[in-house]
Amino acid sequence: MAIEQTLSIIKPDAVQRNLEGEILARIHRAGFRIVAIKSLRLTKTEAEGFYAVHRGKGFFEDLTTFMSSGKVIVMVLEADGAILKWRDTMGATNPANAAPGTIRRDLAESIQNNCVHGSDAPETAAFEIGYFFSGHELL
């Protein structure tokens, strides 16, 4: 596999429940390098821009309201096959369907309050990383 980068977000539910340290520990144990990291609070407009691909879907309003409800931690993770590796580390979107030992299975409360986000493809990762980080932040 090739070295690639992916975006990761520790979502408001996990930050509110003080799970940042546990999630960061799992990221390190899984062998990722954190290239860039910051804590921020998305405005509703910023959340809508980030999730624009889902505009018009039934869950869009709830998702963007949730993602702008509190602090998040956004990160660029790097590893061999980082996109798939991070998705495997997170587990399925629905925690009930996630594999044992994954972040979502162990820590998430629901499909919406599922603790973490990850890019699903190289094109998505490029957009998502650029949404939060400028080039000089990735050096």
Side-chain angles (χ1 to χ4, degrees):
M1 290 201 145
I3 295 286
E4 58 185 15
Q5 294 181 340
T6 190
L7 186 86
S8 169
I9 301 176
I10 300 177
K11 294 181 177 182
D13 61 306
V15 173
Q16 290 165 355
R17 292 171 47 222
N18 296 314
L19 296 174
E20 308 97 306
E22 174 63 25
I23 293 169
L24 288 168
R26 288 173 183 236
I27 287 168
H28 286 294
R29 282 195 304 267
F32 290 97
R33 178 176 163 257
I34 298 175
V35 175
I37 185 170
K38 63 174 91 170
S39 173
L40 53 93
R41 184 173 181 147
L42 293 170
T43 65
K44 182 80 156 83
T45 302
E46 289 168 336
E48 289 171 348
F50 182 74
Y51 287 106
V53 67
H54 298 301
R55 191 176 302 279
K57 296 179 182 172
F59 60 86
F60 181 76
E61 181 63 28
D62 287 343
L63 175 62
T64 56
T65 297
F66 165 66
M67 288 301 292
S68 59
S69 69
K71 286 231 175 187
V72 297
I73 297 173
V74 294
M75 295 170 274
V76 177
L77 304 180
E78 186 175 84
D80 282 336
I83 295 167
L84 181 58
K85 183 176 184 170
W86 178 235
R87 295 191 70 75
D88 288 345
T89 303
M90 289 189 304
T93 302
N94 183 343
N97 298 332
T102 61
I103 291 169
R104 289 176 173 158
R105 177 62 169 254
D106 294 347
L107 305 176
E109 297 176 320
S110 67
I111 291 176
Q112 178 172 284
N113 291 11
N114 64 11
C115 297
V116 288
H117 165 89
S119 307
D120 61 3
E123 304 78 27
T124 310
F127 166 79
E128 291 180 348
I129 290 168
Y131 197 83
F132 291 108
F133 296 96
S134 59
H136 75 279
E137 293 176 294
L138 302 173
L139 297 175

